[in-house]
Amino acid sequence: MLTTGVTLREALALPAFRRAAPEVVAGAAGAARPIRWVHATERPDVGELLREGDLLLTMGTGLPPDDDESGLAAFVDELADVGSAGMVVELGRRWGSALPDALVAACERHGLPLVVLGRETRFAALAQEIGERVVDQQVTELREAQRVHETFTELSFGQAGPVEILRAVQRLSDGPVVVENAQHRPLDYFAGPDDPGGFLDGWPARSRRVEVAGRTGWDATNGWLVTRLGTADQAWGRLVIGSPEAPSQRLVAVAERAAAALALHRLHDRDRGTLMRRTHLELLTALMAGPVRDGAGPDEVGRRCELAGFPVRRRTFVGLVVRPRVGTGTPADLDEVAATVVRAAHGLRLPALVCEVDRDLRVLVSAGPAADADDLVDRLAARVLPHHDVVVAAGRAVTDRGGIARTVTEAGQVADAAPQVRRGQDPDVHRLADLHLRGLLALLGEDERVRLFVERELGPLEAHDRADGSRTELLAALRALLLHPASKTEAAASLHLSRAAFYDRLARIETVLGADLDDPDVRVSLHVALVARDLGRETADGLSGGPSK
């Protein structure tokens, strides 16, 4: 479908047309159709001559007789089938003051513009005037296409980043621009010059309802030109350009060239990111290893860090672990997370080593002596979490290189202890001080003594529940009691049990364990065992990639 060209409405305003006293007698709604070219003919089989967007000029001498209504309708049907821009009839030679009703009705039915000229005119003059406008516009479009081509070629050669690419799209489209991920979450947004605000309102829900056929399509409801980013099988997002009117071919070209540039940058970024993370892993390993590693003294490691843009002299270091959550839908792509972390650190001007170890991202940040390292880590997490469902865990800040291994190791232990399911009260960055008992148990790791303690404390209840099925679930009753230590009524309500039924289960627990649940030492011991049991299962889930049974 043509989207550019001189429209019939614009053509009627040209001097040669105005002198001919034009009047639109049918199909006025189609007057905005673009005109590709002009043909003057009296042949009845005109459909063989015309292409989509051609305008027909005729005096009607070759059309079927006035009383042949079906013939006149068939003639108009043929024009509509080829996608004609309309028909212009000069009165006088065949029809004096009015056209046949059948012809007018057929044009109105198809929405095909029908124009009568009240004065005699030279069709050659009309065709020349429209042709010149069409050619001028085509030349303009070619120049604009060349501008688009040169812009994106220059961006590609310069390995421009997403921000530069999207600013170019904003400049070329003169409208708002959005990049969203596969989950319809906006990643970048550049407002248009006349954007009153609210373009992103309700974005995910609106975007999910927009489907386009092929790589690029226009959604008239929202006024969006939408282009897929990535292949049909592995689309990683979409580029959306605000376009209230049907987009021109130039705008479609801008969208598709921008999508190609973003894909090229993504490919280069992944290659650079892989190489960067390999280099960062070597540096982090050397820093954690201590003063000497394979004959390389600390000064050599420090020089390598400085060359990589990671200062180590008179700095404060904080180790981080960024871990995709499991069991919460599609896990975050670690390459995507790493790229986001790198961009966030760059935006904060915070030097960082970012590398992948055992399906985790290990990050070491280097803060200046006057900076608040923990605050910088919080700001880094605030830029990452809106884009990825991950756990961010931090070790304690250290001010000498000898403590780097400790802060990185501690971050891993905190990540192991952090809950896999995000809760409303959870901090953006988990630290050892936030985890209390879970933190202590995480430090103990997979100590065999902890496992034996859990088995000794809770083993009888687990064996009872396995044998009894779901009729009593004593372990759940114990958990409810420990989570509501001040009110057994609330504990019973959390299980949707009556007080009598809950008290009965507590009595059974005491019988099975041979212990008094009112004894504070017994409660503390059981609580520690439950936390250690849950922590062990969460760790197993993380290793297996899913919830344990």
Side-chain angles (χ1 to χ4, degrees), residues 29-91:
R33 294 179 183 179
I35 300 173
R36 181 199 295 270
W37 203 245
V38 181
H39 282 281
T41 183
E42 302 302 322
R43 287 179 52 176
D45 57 345
V46 69
E48 298 179 4
L49 300 177
L50 301 183
R51 301 172 301 168
E52 180 185 7
D54 285 350
L55 179 68
L56 173 64
L57 304 181
T58 183
M59 292 181 290
T61 56
L63 270 65
D66 293 5
D67 58 357
D68 185 2
E69 296 184 359
S70 61
L72 291 172
F75 179 81
V76 174
D77 292 345
E78 193 172 6
L79 292 181
D81 289 342
V82 299
S84 171
M87 179 167 58
V88 177
V89 180
E90 181 185 274
L91 299 176

Short mmCIF file of all heavy atoms in Angstrom, two decimals, residues 29-91:
data_model
loop_
_atom_site.label_atom_id
_atom_site.label_comp_id
_atom_site.label_asym_id
_atom_site.label_seq_id
_atom_site.Cartn_x
_atom_site.Cartn_y
_atom_site.Cartn_z
N ALA A 29 -13.96 10.51 0.99
CA ALA A 29 -13.13 9.97 2.08
C ALA A 29 -11.79 9.46 1.58
O ALA A 29 -10.82 9.35 2.35
CB ALA A 29 -13.88 8.84 2.79
N GLY A 30 -11.72 9.13 0.28
CA GLY A 30 -10.46 8.61 -0.27
C GLY A 30 -9.57 9.68 -0.86
O GLY A 30 -8.56 9.35 -1.50
N ALA A 31 -9.89 10.94 -0.66
CA ALA A 31 -9.12 12.02 -1.28
C ALA A 31 -7.72 12.15 -0.69
O ALA A 31 -6.88 12.87 -1.25
CB ALA A 31 -9.86 13.35 -1.12
N ALA A 32 -7.45 11.46 0.41
CA ALA A 32 -6.12 11.52 1.01
C ALA A 32 -5.19 10.45 0.45
O ALA A 32 -4.04 10.34 0.87
CB ALA A 32 -6.21 11.37 2.53
N ARG A 33 -5.69 9.66 -0.51
CA ARG A 33 -4.84 8.64 -1.11
C ARG A 33 -3.69 9.29 -1.89
O ARG A 33 -3.88 10.27 -2.59
CB ARG A 33 -5.65 7.77 -2.07
CG ARG A 33 -6.72 6.93 -1.42
CD ARG A 33 -7.46 6.14 -2.48
NE ARG A 33 -8.56 5.36 -1.91
CZ ARG A 33 -9.37 4.60 -2.63
NH1 ARG A 33 -9.21 4.52 -3.96
NH2 ARG A 33 -10.33 3.92 -2.04
N PRO A 34 -2.49 8.71 -1.80
CA PRO A 34 -1.38 9.26 -2.58
C PRO A 34 -1.49 8.88 -4.05
O PRO A 34 -1.98 7.81 -4.40
CB PRO A 34 -0.14 8.61 -1.94
CG PRO A 34 -0.66 7.35 -1.33
CD PRO A 34 -2.06 7.63 -0.89
N ILE A 35 -1.04 9.76 -4.92
CA ILE A 35 -1.05 9.53 -6.37
C ILE A 35 0.35 9.15 -6.81
O ILE A 35 1.32 9.86 -6.54
CB ILE A 35 -1.51 10.80 -7.12
CG1 ILE A 35 -2.93 11.19 -6.69
CG2 ILE A 35 -1.43 10.60 -8.63
CD1 ILE A 35 -3.37 12.54 -7.25
N ARG A 36 0.45 7.99 -7.48
CA ARG A 36 1.75 7.58 -8.01
C ARG A 36 2.02 8.25 -9.37
O ARG A 36 3.11 8.74 -9.63
CB ARG A 36 1.78 6.06 -8.17
CG ARG A 36 3.12 5.54 -8.68
CD ARG A 36 2.97 4.14 -9.27
NE ARG A 36 2.60 3.18 -8.26
CZ ARG A 36 3.46 2.48 -7.53
NH1 ARG A 36 4.75 2.66 -7.70
NH2 ARG A 36 3.03 1.60 -6.64
N TRP A 37 1.00 8.24 -10.24
CA TRP A 37 1.16 8.83 -11.57
C TRP A 37 -0.22 9.13 -12.14
O TRP A 37 -1.24 8.84 -11.52
CB TRP A 37 1.94 7.88 -12.49
CG TRP A 37 2.62 8.60 -13.62
CD1 TRP A 37 2.35 8.48 -14.94
CD2 TRP A 37 3.68 9.55 -13.52
NE1 TRP A 37 3.16 9.30 -15.69
CE2 TRP A 37 4.00 9.99 -14.83
CE3 TRP A 37 4.39 10.11 -12.44
CZ2 TRP A 37 4.98 10.92 -15.11
CZ3 TRP A 37 5.37 11.03 -12.71
CH2 TRP A 37 5.67 11.43 -14.02
N VAL A 38 -0.27 9.73 -13.35
CA VAL A 38 -1.52 10.14 -13.98
C VAL A 38 -1.61 9.51 -15.37
O VAL A 38 -0.62 9.51 -16.13
CB VAL A 38 -1.59 11.68 -14.10
CG1 VAL A 38 -2.92 12.09 -14.75
CG2 VAL A 38 -1.44 12.34 -12.74
N HIS A 39 -2.81 8.98 -15.70
CA HIS A 39 -3.06 8.43 -17.03
C HIS A 39 -4.32 9.07 -17.61
O HIS A 39 -5.34 9.15 -16.92
CB HIS A 39 -3.26 6.91 -16.99
CG HIS A 39 -1.98 6.15 -16.85
ND1 HIS A 39 -1.14 5.90 -17.91
CD2 HIS A 39 -1.39 5.59 -15.77
CE1 HIS A 39 -0.09 5.21 -17.49
NE2 HIS A 39 -0.23 5.01 -16.18
N ALA A 40 -4.24 9.51 -18.87
CA ALA A 40 -5.42 10.04 -19.58
C ALA A 40 -5.77 9.04 -20.68
O ALA A 40 -4.93 8.77 -21.55
CB ALA A 40 -5.13 11.41 -20.16
N THR A 41 -6.97 8.50 -20.66
CA THR A 41 -7.36 7.52 -21.65
C THR A 41 -8.89 7.43 -21.72
O THR A 41 -9.58 7.77 -20.76
CB THR A 41 -6.78 6.12 -21.33
OG1 THR A 41 -7.14 5.21 -22.38
CG2 THR A 41 -7.32 5.60 -20.01
N GLU A 42 -9.36 6.94 -22.85
CA GLU A 42 -10.79 6.69 -23.02
C GLU A 42 -11.06 5.19 -23.21
O GLU A 42 -12.18 4.81 -23.57
CB GLU A 42 -11.32 7.47 -24.23
CG GLU A 42 -11.12 8.97 -24.16
CD GLU A 42 -11.76 9.59 -22.93
OE1 GLU A 42 -12.85 9.15 -22.54
OE2 GLU A 42 -11.14 10.51 -22.33
N ARG A 43 -10.07 4.37 -23.00
CA ARG A 43 -10.24 2.93 -23.17
C ARG A 43 -11.14 2.36 -22.06
O ARG A 43 -10.98 2.72 -20.89
CB ARG A 43 -8.90 2.22 -23.14
CG ARG A 43 -8.06 2.42 -24.38
CD ARG A 43 -6.73 1.71 -24.26
NE ARG A 43 -6.88 0.29 -23.89
CZ ARG A 43 -5.86 -0.56 -23.80
NH1 ARG A 43 -4.63 -0.13 -24.07
NH2 ARG A 43 -6.07 -1.81 -23.46
N PRO A 44 -12.04 1.45 -22.39
CA PRO A 44 -12.87 0.84 -21.35
C PRO A 44 -12.12 -0.20 -20.52
O PRO A 44 -12.48 -0.45 -19.37
CB PRO A 44 -14.01 0.20 -22.14
CG PRO A 44 -13.43 -0.06 -23.49
CD PRO A 44 -12.47 1.05 -23.75
N ASP A 45 -11.08 -0.81 -21.10
CA ASP A 45 -10.30 -1.81 -20.36
C ASP A 45 -9.10 -1.17 -19.67
O ASP A 45 -7.97 -1.64 -19.75
CB ASP A 45 -9.84 -2.92 -21.31
CG ASP A 45 -9.04 -2.38 -22.48
OD1 ASP A 45 -9.08 -1.15 -22.71
OD2 ASP A 45 -8.36 -3.17 -23.16
N VAL A 46 -9.37 -0.09 -19.00
CA VAL A 46 -8.30 0.73 -18.42
C VAL A 46 -7.54 0.00 -17.31
O VAL A 46 -6.40 0.34 -16.99
CB VAL A 46 -8.91 2.05 -17.89
CG1 VAL A 46 -9.79 1.77 -16.68
CG2 VAL A 46 -7.82 3.05 -17.52
N GLY A 47 -8.16 -1.02 -16.73
CA GLY A 47 -7.50 -1.74 -15.64
C GLY A 47 -6.17 -2.33 -16.05
O GLY A 47 -5.27 -2.52 -15.23
N GLU A 48 -6.01 -2.64 -17.36
CA GLU A 48 -4.77 -3.22 -17.83
C GLU A 48 -3.64 -2.19 -17.87
O GLU A 48 -2.45 -2.55 -17.90
CB GLU A 48 -4.97 -3.82 -19.22
CG GLU A 48 -5.99 -4.95 -19.27
CD GLU A 48 -6.17 -5.49 -20.67
OE1 GLU A 48 -5.44 -5.02 -21.57
OE2 GLU A 48 -7.02 -6.37 -20.87
N LEU A 49 -3.99 -0.90 -17.89
CA LEU A 49 -2.99 0.16 -17.98
C LEU A 49 -2.55 0.69 -16.62
O LEU A 49 -1.45 1.20 -16.48
CB LEU A 49 -3.54 1.33 -18.80
CG LEU A 49 -3.96 1.04 -20.25
CD1 LEU A 49 -4.55 2.30 -20.87
CD2 LEU A 49 -2.77 0.55 -21.06
N LEU A 50 -3.44 0.61 -15.65
CA LEU A 50 -3.20 1.30 -14.37
C LEU A 50 -2.47 0.42 -13.38
O LEU A 50 -2.55 -0.81 -13.40
CB LEU A 50 -4.53 1.75 -13.77
CG LEU A 50 -5.38 2.71 -14.61
CD1 LEU A 50 -6.62 3.11 -13.84
CD2 LEU A 50 -4.57 3.94 -15.02
N ARG A 51 -1.79 1.10 -12.45
CA ARG A 51 -1.16 0.46 -11.30
C ARG A 51 -1.75 1.10 -10.04
O ARG A 51 -2.46 2.10 -10.10
CB ARG A 51 0.35 0.66 -11.31
CG ARG A 51 1.06 0.13 -12.53
CD ARG A 51 2.51 0.57 -12.50
NE ARG A 51 2.62 2.04 -12.47
CZ ARG A 51 3.75 2.68 -12.20
NH1 ARG A 51 4.86 2.01 -11.94
NH2 ARG A 51 3.78 4.00 -12.19
N GLU A 52 -1.40 0.52 -8.92
CA GLU A 52 -1.86 1.08 -7.66
C GLU A 52 -1.38 2.53 -7.54
O GLU A 52 -0.21 2.84 -7.77
CB GLU A 52 -1.31 0.27 -6.49
CG GLU A 52 -1.75 0.81 -5.12
CD GLU A 52 -1.10 0.07 -3.96
OE1 GLU A 52 -0.21 -0.76 -4.23
OE2 GLU A 52 -1.48 0.33 -2.81
N GLY A 53 -2.32 3.43 -7.20
CA GLY A 53 -1.97 4.83 -7.00
C GLY A 53 -2.07 5.68 -8.24
O GLY A 53 -1.85 6.90 -8.17
N ASP A 54 -2.42 5.10 -9.39
CA ASP A 54 -2.55 5.90 -10.61
C ASP A 54 -3.91 6.62 -10.62
O ASP A 54 -4.93 6.07 -10.22
CB ASP A 54 -2.45 5.02 -11.86
CG ASP A 54 -1.00 4.59 -12.12
OD1 ASP A 54 -0.10 5.13 -11.45
OD2 ASP A 54 -0.80 3.73 -12.99
N LEU A 55 -3.89 7.86 -11.10
CA LEU A 55 -5.10 8.67 -11.23
C LEU A 55 -5.54 8.66 -12.70
O LEU A 55 -4.73 8.87 -13.62
CB LEU A 55 -4.81 10.11 -10.79
CG LEU A 55 -5.98 11.10 -10.88
CD1 LEU A 55 -7.07 10.72 -9.87
CD2 LEU A 55 -5.50 12.53 -10.65
N LEU A 56 -6.83 8.40 -12.93
CA LEU A 56 -7.37 8.33 -14.28
C LEU A 56 -8.02 9.66 -14.67
O LEU A 56 -8.86 10.19 -13.93
CB LEU A 56 -8.40 7.20 -14.37
CG LEU A 56 -9.18 7.10 -15.69
CD1 LEU A 56 -8.26 6.76 -16.86
CD2 LEU A 56 -10.30 6.07 -15.57
N LEU A 57 -7.63 10.19 -15.82
CA LEU A 57 -8.27 11.37 -16.40
C LEU A 57 -9.05 10.90 -17.64
O LEU A 57 -8.49 10.23 -18.52
CB LEU A 57 -7.23 12.41 -16.84
CG LEU A 57 -6.24 12.91 -15.77
CD1 LEU A 57 -5.30 13.94 -16.39
CD2 LEU A 57 -6.98 13.50 -14.58
N THR A 58 -10.31 11.25 -17.73
CA THR A 58 -11.14 10.78 -18.85
C THR A 58 -12.28 11.76 -19.12
O THR A 58 -12.69 12.53 -18.23
CB THR A 58 -11.72 9.38 -18.57
OG1 THR A 58 -12.46 8.94 -19.71
CG2 THR A 58 -12.62 9.40 -17.35
N MET A 59 -12.79 11.73 -20.37
CA MET A 59 -14.01 12.49 -20.73
C MET A 59 -15.22 11.56 -20.77
O MET A 59 -16.33 12.02 -21.00
CB MET A 59 -13.82 13.18 -22.08
CG MET A 59 -12.78 14.30 -22.01
SD MET A 59 -12.57 15.14 -23.60
CE MET A 59 -11.75 13.85 -24.54
N GLY A 60 -14.99 10.25 -20.57
CA GLY A 60 -16.09 9.30 -20.48
C GLY A 60 -16.56 8.75 -21.80
O GLY A 60 -17.52 7.97 -21.84
N THR A 61 -15.92 9.10 -22.92
CA THR A 61 -16.42 8.64 -24.22
C THR A 61 -16.28 7.14 -24.40
O THR A 61 -17.01 6.54 -25.18
CB THR A 61 -15.67 9.37 -25.35
OG1 THR A 61 -14.26 9.15 -25.20
CG2 THR A 61 -15.96 10.88 -25.31
N GLY A 62 -15.35 6.51 -23.69
CA GLY A 62 -15.15 5.08 -23.86
C GLY A 62 -15.89 4.24 -22.82
O GLY A 62 -15.81 3.01 -22.86
N LEU A 63 -16.60 4.89 -21.89
CA LEU A 63 -17.29 4.14 -20.83
C LEU A 63 -18.59 3.54 -21.36
O LEU A 63 -19.12 4.00 -22.37
CB LEU A 63 -17.59 5.07 -19.65
CG LEU A 63 -16.51 5.13 -18.56
CD1 LEU A 63 -15.22 5.73 -19.13
CD2 LEU A 63 -17.00 5.93 -17.37
N PRO A 64 -19.13 2.52 -20.67
CA PRO A 64 -20.39 1.91 -21.10
C PRO A 64 -21.52 2.94 -21.13
O PRO A 64 -21.44 4.01 -20.51
CB PRO A 64 -20.65 0.85 -20.02
CG PRO A 64 -19.30 0.55 -19.46
CD PRO A 64 -18.55 1.84 -19.50
N PRO A 65 -22.61 2.64 -21.91
CA PRO A 65 -23.76 3.57 -22.00
C PRO A 65 -24.36 3.88 -20.62
O PRO A 65 -24.23 3.11 -19.68
CB PRO A 65 -24.75 2.82 -22.88
CG PRO A 65 -23.94 1.82 -23.63
CD PRO A 65 -22.80 1.44 -22.73
N ASP A 66 -25.08 5.01 -20.54
CA ASP A 66 -25.66 5.44 -19.26
C ASP A 66 -26.65 4.42 -18.72
O ASP A 66 -26.80 4.28 -17.49
CB ASP A 66 -26.35 6.79 -19.43
CG ASP A 66 -25.36 7.91 -19.73
OD1 ASP A 66 -24.16 7.59 -19.90
OD2 ASP A 66 -25.76 9.07 -19.81
N ASP A 67 -27.37 3.73 -19.59
CA ASP A 67 -28.38 2.78 -19.12
C ASP A 67 -27.77 1.42 -18.78
O ASP A 67 -28.48 0.52 -18.34
CB ASP A 67 -29.50 2.63 -20.14
CG ASP A 67 -28.97 2.17 -21.51
OD1 ASP A 67 -27.73 2.02 -21.64
OD2 ASP A 67 -29.80 1.98 -22.42
N ASP A 68 -26.45 1.26 -18.99
CA ASP A 68 -25.78 0.00 -18.65
C ASP A 68 -25.19 0.14 -17.23
O ASP A 68 -23.98 0.33 -17.05
CB ASP A 68 -24.68 -0.30 -19.67
CG ASP A 68 -24.03 -1.67 -19.43
OD1 ASP A 68 -24.47 -2.39 -18.50
OD2 ASP A 68 -23.07 -2.00 -20.17
N GLU A 69 -26.07 0.05 -16.26
CA GLU A 69 -25.63 0.26 -14.88
C GLU A 69 -24.59 -0.77 -14.44
O GLU A 69 -23.62 -0.45 -13.74
CB GLU A 69 -26.85 0.24 -13.95
CG GLU A 69 -27.82 1.38 -14.21
CD GLU A 69 -28.95 1.39 -13.20
OE1 GLU A 69 -28.96 0.49 -12.32
OE2 GLU A 69 -29.80 2.30 -13.27
N SER A 70 -24.81 -2.02 -14.84
CA SER A 70 -23.86 -3.06 -14.45
C SER A 70 -22.50 -2.84 -15.10
O SER A 70 -21.44 -3.08 -14.50
CB SER A 70 -24.40 -4.44 -14.81
OG SER A 70 -24.61 -4.55 -16.22
N GLY A 71 -22.50 -2.34 -16.35
CA GLY A 71 -21.24 -2.06 -17.04
C GLY A 71 -20.47 -0.94 -16.37
O GLY A 71 -19.24 -1.00 -16.21
N LEU A 72 -21.18 0.14 -16.00
CA LEU A 72 -20.53 1.25 -15.29
C LEU A 72 -19.97 0.79 -13.93
O LEU A 72 -18.87 1.18 -13.54
CB LEU A 72 -21.52 2.40 -15.10
CG LEU A 72 -21.96 3.13 -16.37
CD1 LEU A 72 -23.08 4.11 -16.07
CD2 LEU A 72 -20.76 3.87 -16.99
N ALA A 73 -20.77 -0.03 -13.24
CA ALA A 73 -20.31 -0.54 -11.95
C ALA A 73 -19.08 -1.43 -12.11
O ALA A 73 -18.14 -1.37 -11.30
CB ALA A 73 -21.44 -1.30 -11.25
N ALA A 74 -19.08 -2.26 -13.17
CA ALA A 74 -17.94 -3.14 -13.42
C ALA A 74 -16.69 -2.32 -13.73
O ALA A 74 -15.57 -2.68 -13.31
CB ALA A 74 -18.25 -4.10 -14.57
N PHE A 75 -16.84 -1.21 -14.46
CA PHE A 75 -15.71 -0.33 -14.76
C PHE A 75 -15.10 0.22 -13.46
O PHE A 75 -13.88 0.21 -13.27
CB PHE A 75 -16.17 0.80 -15.67
CG PHE A 75 -15.09 1.78 -16.02
CD1 PHE A 75 -14.18 1.49 -17.02
CD2 PHE A 75 -14.98 3.00 -15.34
CE1 PHE A 75 -13.17 2.39 -17.35
CE2 PHE A 75 -13.98 3.90 -15.66
CZ PHE A 75 -13.07 3.59 -16.67
N VAL A 76 -15.96 0.66 -12.56
CA VAL A 76 -15.47 1.19 -11.27
C VAL A 76 -14.85 0.08 -10.43
O VAL A 76 -13.83 0.27 -9.75
CB VAL A 76 -16.61 1.89 -10.51
CG1 VAL A 76 -16.14 2.32 -9.11
CG2 VAL A 76 -17.11 3.10 -11.29
N ASP A 77 -15.46 -1.11 -10.47
CA ASP A 77 -14.89 -2.25 -9.74
C ASP A 77 -13.46 -2.51 -10.17
O ASP A 77 -12.59 -2.80 -9.34
CB ASP A 77 -15.73 -3.51 -9.97
CG ASP A 77 -17.11 -3.43 -9.33
OD1 ASP A 77 -17.30 -2.54 -8.47
OD2 ASP A 77 -17.98 -4.25 -9.70
N GLU A 78 -13.22 -2.40 -11.48
CA GLU A 78 -11.89 -2.66 -12.00
C GLU A 78 -10.89 -1.61 -11.49
O GLU A 78 -9.76 -1.92 -11.13
CB GLU A 78 -11.92 -2.65 -13.53
CG GLU A 78 -10.67 -3.21 -14.17
CD GLU A 78 -10.82 -3.38 -15.67
OE1 GLU A 78 -11.85 -2.95 -16.23
OE2 GLU A 78 -9.89 -3.94 -16.28
N LEU A 79 -11.33 -0.35 -11.44
CA LEU A 79 -10.45 0.69 -10.89
C LEU A 79 -10.13 0.43 -9.42
O LEU A 79 -8.98 0.59 -8.97
CB LEU A 79 -11.13 2.06 -11.02
CG LEU A 79 -11.32 2.64 -12.43
CD1 LEU A 79 -12.00 4.00 -12.34
CD2 LEU A 79 -9.99 2.76 -13.16
N ALA A 80 -11.15 0.03 -8.68
CA ALA A 80 -10.94 -0.25 -7.26
C ALA A 80 -10.01 -1.43 -7.06
O ALA A 80 -9.17 -1.45 -6.15
CB ALA A 80 -12.28 -0.49 -6.57
N ASP A 81 -10.13 -2.45 -7.91
CA ASP A 81 -9.31 -3.65 -7.78
C ASP A 81 -7.83 -3.35 -7.96
O ASP A 81 -6.98 -3.95 -7.27
CB ASP A 81 -9.76 -4.71 -8.79
CG ASP A 81 -11.11 -5.33 -8.44
OD1 ASP A 81 -11.52 -5.18 -7.27
OD2 ASP A 81 -11.73 -5.95 -9.32
N VAL A 82 -7.50 -2.46 -8.88
CA VAL A 82 -6.08 -2.15 -9.10
C VAL A 82 -5.56 -1.12 -8.10
O VAL A 82 -4.37 -0.83 -8.06
CB VAL A 82 -5.84 -1.65 -10.54
CG1 VAL A 82 -6.21 -2.70 -11.55
CG2 VAL A 82 -6.57 -0.33 -10.80
N GLY A 83 -6.46 -0.54 -7.28
CA GLY A 83 -6.02 0.44 -6.28
C GLY A 83 -5.82 1.82 -6.85
O GLY A 83 -4.93 2.56 -6.41
N SER A 84 -6.65 2.20 -7.81
CA SER A 84 -6.55 3.52 -8.42
C SER A 84 -6.72 4.62 -7.37
O SER A 84 -7.44 4.46 -6.38
CB SER A 84 -7.61 3.69 -9.51
OG SER A 84 -7.67 5.02 -9.98
N ALA A 85 -6.04 5.74 -7.58
CA ALA A 85 -6.17 6.89 -6.67
C ALA A 85 -7.46 7.66 -6.90
O ALA A 85 -7.84 8.50 -6.09
CB ALA A 85 -4.98 7.82 -6.83
N GLY A 86 -8.16 7.38 -8.01
CA GLY A 86 -9.41 8.08 -8.27
C GLY A 86 -9.62 8.32 -9.76
O GLY A 86 -8.79 7.94 -10.61
N MET A 87 -10.75 8.94 -10.07
CA MET A 87 -11.10 9.22 -11.47
C MET A 87 -11.54 10.67 -11.59
O MET A 87 -12.34 11.16 -10.78
CB MET A 87 -12.21 8.27 -11.93
CG MET A 87 -12.66 8.51 -13.37
SD MET A 87 -13.70 7.19 -14.04
CE MET A 87 -15.06 7.19 -12.88
N VAL A 88 -11.00 11.35 -12.63
CA VAL A 88 -11.35 12.75 -12.91
C VAL A 88 -12.03 12.78 -14.27
O VAL A 88 -11.47 12.31 -15.28
CB VAL A 88 -10.10 13.65 -12.92
CG1 VAL A 88 -10.49 15.08 -13.27
CG2 VAL A 88 -9.40 13.59 -11.56
N VAL A 89 -13.26 13.31 -14.33
CA VAL A 89 -14.05 13.35 -15.56
C VAL A 89 -14.30 14.80 -15.95
O VAL A 89 -14.79 15.60 -15.14
CB VAL A 89 -15.39 12.62 -15.37
CG1 VAL A 89 -16.20 12.67 -16.68
CG2 VAL A 89 -15.17 11.17 -14.94
N GLU A 90 -13.96 15.11 -17.21
CA GLU A 90 -14.25 16.47 -17.71
C GLU A 90 -15.65 16.46 -18.33
O GLU A 90 -15.94 15.64 -19.21
CB GLU A 90 -13.22 16.87 -18.75
CG GLU A 90 -13.46 18.28 -19.30
CD GLU A 90 -12.51 18.62 -20.42
OE1 GLU A 90 -11.40 19.07 -20.12
OE2 GLU A 90 -12.88 18.41 -21.60
N LEU A 91 -16.52 17.35 -17.86
CA LEU A 91 -17.87 17.46 -18.42
C LEU A 91 -17.83 18.19 -19.76
O LEU A 91 -16.95 19.01 -20.01
CB LEU A 91 -18.78 18.22 -17.44
CG LEU A 91 -18.98 17.57 -16.05
CD1 LEU A 91 -19.84 18.48 -15.17
CD2 LEU A 91 -19.60 16.19 -16.18
#
